[in-house]
Amino acid sequence: MKRTGAQLIWEVLTREGVDTVFGYPGGAILPAYDALVGYENIHHVLTRHEQGASHAADGYARASGKVGVAIATSGPGATNLVTGIATANMDSSPIVCITGQVGSAVIGKDAFQECDITGITQPVTKHNYLVTRAEDIVRVLREAFYVARSGRPGPVLVDITKDAQNQEVEFIWNEAPIALPGYRPDLSALPEEFDRAMQLLSESKRPIILAGQGIIMSGAEEELRKLVEAAHVPVALTLLGLGGLPDGHACNIGMMGMHGEAWVNTAIQEADLLIALGMRFDDRVTGDLATYAQNAKKIHVDIDPAEIDKNVKVDVGIVGDLKTVIATFNERLKPQKREAWAKYIDESRGEAEQHDILQAADEGTLYAAHVIDELRKLTRDDSIIVTDVGQHQMWEAQYYAHNQPRTLITSGGLGTMGFALPAAIGAKMACPEKEVWVIAGDGGFQMTACELQTCAQEGLDLNIAVINNGYLGMVRQWQEMFYDKRYSETPISSPDFVKLAEAHGLTGARVETVQEVAPAVQASQGNARTILTEFRVVPEDAVYPMVPSGKALDKMIRRPRKEPAIRQDT
Amino acid sequence: MLNPNEPIQRRALQRQLHTFVVYAEDKPGVLSRITSLFRRRAYNIGSMTAGHTDVPGVSRLTVVLESDDAEARLIEANLYKLVNVLKVEDLTHVPAMKRDLALIKVKANAEARPQVMQMIEVFRARIIDVAPESLVLEITGTGDKIDGLLEILSPFGIIEMVRTGGVAMTRGSKATTVHPHFVHALVPQDENS
Ligand SMILES: Cc1ncc(C[n+]2csc(CCOP(=O)(O)OP(=O)(O)O)c2C)c(N)n1
Ligand SMILES: [Mg+2]
């Protein structure tokens, strides 16, 4: 059976179970787009920018656990993918990006729209390939999917020359086995390390589990729940770990880190044992390393051996898949109770809650917290929230309650503004039956707002909440706290969001008071198409608590009890 | 992770030259992936050499850099994350031979020549080219030995010099030492032995 290289691309995607790809055509990828017409099983979503395509593939992957696919042409098409690739790389999201490349005969000649995309993406991909012959396409694409989803997942880019897409070759599926002699995603733990870990746990009086995204990627939620219940250990979550243990679970004490809960950070500093599961001790969760959990022994479990001892030197490092490792813990575990420790954490939680803005007297001022709190009440446990980057992202993490895995999709490691809308498009394509919310700031939303038209063309039902504070709020907050309130280039104007939505053929709404929030959320839920609701919130609120960058984790700036000024009308 | 039974604190803090042998698939771009890794993670390469092995399709690199043991394990782990890397050995704490090769063009007119020849003999270097006013020498040995010869020759005037950077191999009949975290690491030849 003869096939062109271009057809082979879609043959492999079909066999990999791909139903949706996100992309943008152009010269060097034209043969692939031409061949796509013959593959009705694959739905192509035309994003309005290739960055949107790579974020959408990422959102698709995070919502579904399957590999997301983005496709673009050479040169500018390929470079536009890069931000999305780097975002996926930092958060270990499995995506495969396929780019067209100029003909192999002119590579290196600065041909029109030539660009060394494998060179550019080398540091931000798990692996990448340049394919110049049609006969390599099947093997390479199969390898790309396998590498992207196995071990510690990540992005893989496959750059395919135009002549390779045009060549005809014999296609026999079984004759393209993957050939990855150096790739070993299945490292397994050493037995001695389990013995040491179990011993440390049984000796500990004040242990804490630090659970990260690894729990969700490994599908280890059930194992984690059994572990914490049997060993009676409080669990702190990273931003990307939210949903790994239900928010309502008695052992879940909340989010850690720069904007984590005060009692969580304090408890980490006072613990005698940290058990880090699928998290990587990012500087945003540790604060100053020299003063981090100084009296705690540390156990670190990760699938990536290069994470062990990278930022925090540990006493026991276990390399392996969390689901299997925690299951082994559970087999060996002797049930324990640690009432005093649990009670201690509960008490400090009670104290901290008095700082909360939701406890403050209602002066009619609309805070972002009110919006998130209402969303928490009115959405379902399986609703997916996709956030952008900034203050609203942290407020979402603080005030929403994630009770299921894969219900929060957010750019953690790279902190990419503009992520939310395109990633939500990907999430909705992956889970069409689920309610999907975008929560974005007025700044970040404007970075990829062109994707509103993608929602329109696809007839998608997204719920978009733009938290408009008139500022690049998170940066303004740093200027307020650390740069003497010099608001250099952080005030930002916005288009009329209602008209913007309408211009795209969508619905727009605006909310300015606390009373309007719940009806607006319900109206959005009732709308069968994409609807954008702008929430005009107080301009100069800050995210509390805050561990200043590089400071000890328990040296948090707390919310002043005196209320901030009522918002001035702009 | 460091072996809990070892006195990690003392050893980990000690910085010294580490010699890694890296086996990698012989494919386009592999060298660039390895150097890119060192650049990105801010590891400072002292020297790096690359060449073929007896196994077709497998290249072998020797990388020398200064680090402590904890960082060395991370370097090893990061090298393994490169899909084309087959196996990594850290030869720092095992008996191994390390060799460097240098070509040295030194000034040597009729007057100086006998003296230069004497030095060459002491260091077991070889003359590989003779010109009226200069000689070209070849020397292999440890880095220290080559440094020593260079120091002694410098008063005569070194016109040009090139060094390959170190290559290394373990002593004895056993071929490899692999960190227990990376037990799956294999090069094709291992499977037969
Ligand atoms: C692409 C990109 N550029 C710049 C930044 C730096 N940055 C982080 S948060 C932020 C402000 C975001 O403002 P907005 O979207 O309005 O959200 P808010 O913080 O006001 O909720 C900026 C500029 C970033 N994270 N990403
Ligand atoms: Mg803003």
Side-chain angles (χ1 to χ4, degrees):
Chain A
M1 185 170 44
K2 286 252 186 220
R3 288 278 183 273
T4 62
Q7 288 173 313
L8 293 181
I9 296 173
W10 304 114
E11 290 289 343
V12 178
L13 264 54
T14 302
R15 285 168 174 75
E16 289 289 343
V18 174
D19 49 21
T20 312
V21 299
F22 305 90
Y24 211 98
I29 195 75
L30 258 172
Y33 271 87
D34 186 52
L36 172 62
V37 176
Y39 291 83
E40 281 172 6
N41 53 312
I42 293 180
H43 178 69
H44 180 278
V45 176
L46 180 71
T47 55
R48 291 305 185 267
H49 187 295
E50 290 87 351
Q51 180 185 350
S54 45
H55 285 327
D58 187 352
Y60 179 96
R62 296 192 205 207
S64 66
K66 296 197 291 182
V67 177
V69 180
I71 179 161
T73 191
S74 66
T79 55
N80 274 350
L81 291 174
V82 173
T83 301
I85 295 174
T87 303
N89 192 52
M90 278 295 248
D91 290 346
S92 308
S93 181
I95 64 171
V96 167
C97 294
I98 300 168
T99 49
Q101 180 56 284
V102 299
S104 55
V106 294
I107 282 191
K109 307 285 195 295
D110 301 323
F112 178 64
Q113 293 194 329
E114 180 184 356
C115 167
D116 175 15
I117 196 63
T118 46
I120 287 175
T121 57
Q122 200 176 84
V124 293
T125 49
K126 186 171 172 185
H127 194 46
N128 65 23
Y129 294 89
L130 169 63
V131 182
T132 56
R133 304 181 314 175
E135 66 241 51
D136 295 333
I137 288 178
V138 175
R139 175 184 55 80
V140 166
L141 277 174
R142 288 182 74 184
E143 289 180 9
F145 276 85
Y146 175 61
V147 170
R149 69 169 166 254
S150 56
R152 176 179 183 167
V156 179
L157 178 131
V158 182
D159 194 26
I160 308 176
T161 60
K162 194 167 183 180
D163 52 321
Q165 296 171 49
N166 284 327
Q167 269 166 23
E168 276 206 344
V169 287
E170 201 60 44
F171 171 53
I172 309 162
W173 175 245
N174 287 334
E175 282 197 3
I178 60 174
L180 296 163
Y183 181 62
R184 54 200 86 65
D186 52 351
L187 294 165
S188 46
L190 306 173
E192 317 83 85
E193 292 167 337
F194 281 106
D195 299 340
R196 293 251 307 147
M198 296 326 288
Q199 189 192 341
L200 288 178
L201 178 56
S202 68
E203 289 166 4
S204 165
K205 297 208 159 39
R206 300 189 309 280
I208 289 200
I209 287 175
L210 309 177
Q213 187 184 217
I215 297 287
I216 296 166
M217 306 210 89
S218 166
E221 298 87 0
E222 216 20 56
E223 285 76 9
L224 175 66
R225 193 187 54 74
K226 285 191 188 138
L227 171 68
V228 305
E229 288 173 6
H232 199 210
V233 187
V235 179
L237 298 163
T238 67
L239 174 65
L240 294 189
L242 294 177
L245 186 69
D247 185 84
H249 191 285
C251 289
N252 185 342
I253 60 172
M255 188 171 77
M256 66 182 103
M258 182 175 273
H259 293 296
E261 309 294 359
W263 63 87
V264 176
N265 289 341
T266 308
I268 289 172
Q269 293 296 71
E270 293 180 3
D272 65 3
L273 175 68
L274 301 185
I275 307 169
L277 304 176
M279 56 82 78
R280 57 187 176 81
F281 291 109
D282 182 276
D283 52 274
R284 285 292 188 270
V285 311
T286 62
D288 174 34
L289 281 174
T291 53
Y292 181 65
Q294 278 169 309
N295 302 317
K297 291 259 191 305
K298 291 156 191 112
I299 301 170
H300 191 178
V301 187
D302 203 283
I303 198 159
D304 180 358
E307 286 301 338
I308 313 282
D309 276 348
K310 184 182 78 178
N311 293 337
V312 170
K313 298 280 175 288
V314 298
D315 300 274
V316 179
I318 299 182
V319 177
D321 180 40
L322 272 174
K323 197 174 167 75
T324 337
V325 171
I326 303 178
T328 312
F329 280 167
N330 290 344
E331 281 165 22
R332 301 189 172 201
L333 206 64
K334 287 187 240 52
Q336 278 176 290
K337 279 279 170 218
R338 296 182 171 88
E339 300 295 356
W341 179 225
K343 187 159 166 266
Y344 172 80
I345 295 175
D346 256 8
E347 280 165 8
S348 55
R349 165 186 267 176
E351 186 278 324
E353 274 175 352
Q354 295 166 17
H355 289 260
D356 197 324
I357 194 72
L358 293 180
Q359 311 292 330
D362 182 7
E363 300 167 336
T365 313
L366 181 61
Y367 285 89
H370 292 129
V371 180
I372 313 288
D373 191 49
E374 226 34 83
L375 283 171
R376 175 182 66 76
K377 290 183 198 148
L378 293 171
T379 53
R380 305 189 331 204
D381 267 1
D382 71 348
S383 299
I384 297 175
I385 314 288
V386 188
T387 72
D388 216 74
V389 170
Q391 292 183 312
H392 63 278
Q393 177 189 33
M394 294 298 116
W395 283 318
E396 193 283 342
Q398 294 178 338
Y399 290 102
Y400 196 81
H402 288 281
N403 285 312
Q404 288 186 20
R406 301 189 184 281
T407 57
L408 170 59
I409 295 177
T410 192
S411 167
L414 202 67
T416 308
M417 283 171 71
F419 173 80
L421 178 58
I425 292 173
K428 185 70 186 178
M429 296 303 301
C431 305
E433 75 292 350
K434 289 191 184 164
E435 175 183 351
V436 177
W437 278 87
V438 170
I439 301 181
D442 44 336
F445 189 77
Q446 291 186 64
M447 283 197 172
T448 51
C450 56
E451 303 301 344
L452 282 173
Q453 196 52 39
T454 311
C455 299
Q457 182 163 352
E458 290 293 326
L460 281 189
D461 174 14
L462 288 187
N463 301 282
I464 302 172
V466 175
I467 307 295
N468 187 356
N469 53 10
Y471 280 106
L472 299 174
M474 186 56 94
V475 181
R476 187 209 57 75
Q477 172 171 347
W478 284 53
Q479 290 171 333
E480 175 188 333
M481 292 178 173
F482 313 118
Y483 293 88
D484 284 336
K485 295 200 175 189
R486 282 187 298 279
Y487 293 163
S488 171
E489 297 304 318
T490 45
I492 183 169
S493 69
S494 285
D496 180 327
F497 284 111
V498 176
K499 283 191 187 152
L500 181 73
E502 286 166 4
H504 285 283
L506 306 170
T507 314
R510 179 170 297 127
V511 167
E512 304 193 58
T513 65
V514 180
Q515 293 70 33
E516 293 169 303
V517 174
V521 169
Q522 283 159 334
S524 180
Q525 290 172 318
N527 193 323
R529 298 281 298 275
T530 294
I531 164 164
L532 186 163
T533 310
E534 174 196 9
F535 294 89
R536 290 210 172 167
V537 299
V538 58
E540 295 192 25
D541 192 16
V543 183
Y544 295 102
M546 177 178 193
V547 182
S549 178
K551 291 282 171 3
L553 196 58
D554 49 355
K555 299 284 175 282
M556 288 160 283
I557 304 174
R558 305 295 298 277
R559 182 177 281 279
R561 301 246 184 155
K562 194 172 144 289
E563 283 310 279
I566 295 175
R567 85 174 258 260
Q568 309 104 25
D569 276 324
T570 40
Chain B
M1 206 226 25
L2 298 163
N3 181 343
N5 304 318
E6 280 177 61
I8 48 172
Q9 296 304 351
R10 238 174 316 129
R11 253 181 64 178
L13 291 173
Q14 228 168 0
R15 289 187 79 79
Q16 66 183 117
L17 283 182
H18 277 251
T19 304
F20 295 96
V21 171
V22 182
Y23 297 86
E25 286 182 87
D26 185 7
K27 286 192 170 164
V30 172
L31 264 185
S32 145
R33 288 176 202 278
I34 293 172
T35 49
S36 167
L37 164 71
F38 283 105
R39 175 185 53 75
R40 183 164 83 82
R41 299 271 177 200
Y43 303 137
N44 232 327
I45 307 179
S47 74
M48 180 157 141
T49 63
H52 298 292
T53 62
D54 53 320
V55 186
V58 176
S59 359
R60 176 170 170 143
L61 292 88
T62 311
V63 184
V64 181
L65 50 75
E66 197 189 278
S67 81
D68 56 43
D69 283 356
E71 188 183 62
R73 196 205 65 90
L74 282 179
I75 293 171
E76 214 176 317
N78 275 301
L79 281 165
Y80 274 119
K81 283 173 76 169
L82 298 176
V83 169
N84 301 120
V85 166
L86 302 167
K87 186 163 78 174
V88 183
E89 298 171 26
D90 182 352
L91 300 190
T92 313
H93 301 297
V94 297
M97 295 149 298
K98 290 154 195 169
R99 293 290 181 274
D100 210 334
L101 178 136
L103 301 181
I104 307 166
K105 189 177 283 179
V106 61
K107 281 188 192 154
N109 55 19
E111 196 189 327
R113 190 156 302 198
Q115 266 176 290
V116 174
M117 306 269 277
Q118 217 179 344
M119 305 301 168
I120 294 170
E121 195 140 312
V122 173
F123 278 84
R124 303 222 182 125
R126 292 198 304 138
I127 298 172
I128 56 172
D129 185 52
V130 182
E133 295 293 319
S134 67
L135 296 172
V136 177
L137 322 176
E138 173 194 313
I139 177 170
T140 53
T142 60
D144 288 349
K145 178 175 161 187
I146 295 173
D147 290 345
L149 177 61
L150 284 169
E151 201 180 312
I152 282 173
L153 290 178
S154 64
F156 298 98
I158 290 170
I159 301 168
E160 196 181 333
M161 194 275 289
V162 59
R163 286 171 80 153
T164 56
V167 292
M169 191 177 274
T170 51
R171 289 186 183 276
S173 52
K174 268 191 76 183
T176 72
T177 49
V178 173
H179 192 286
H181 267 165
F182 311 116
V183 282
H184 300 258
L186 284 177
V187 284
Q189 62 186 11
D190 294 349
E191 280 161 291
N192 313 321
S193 62

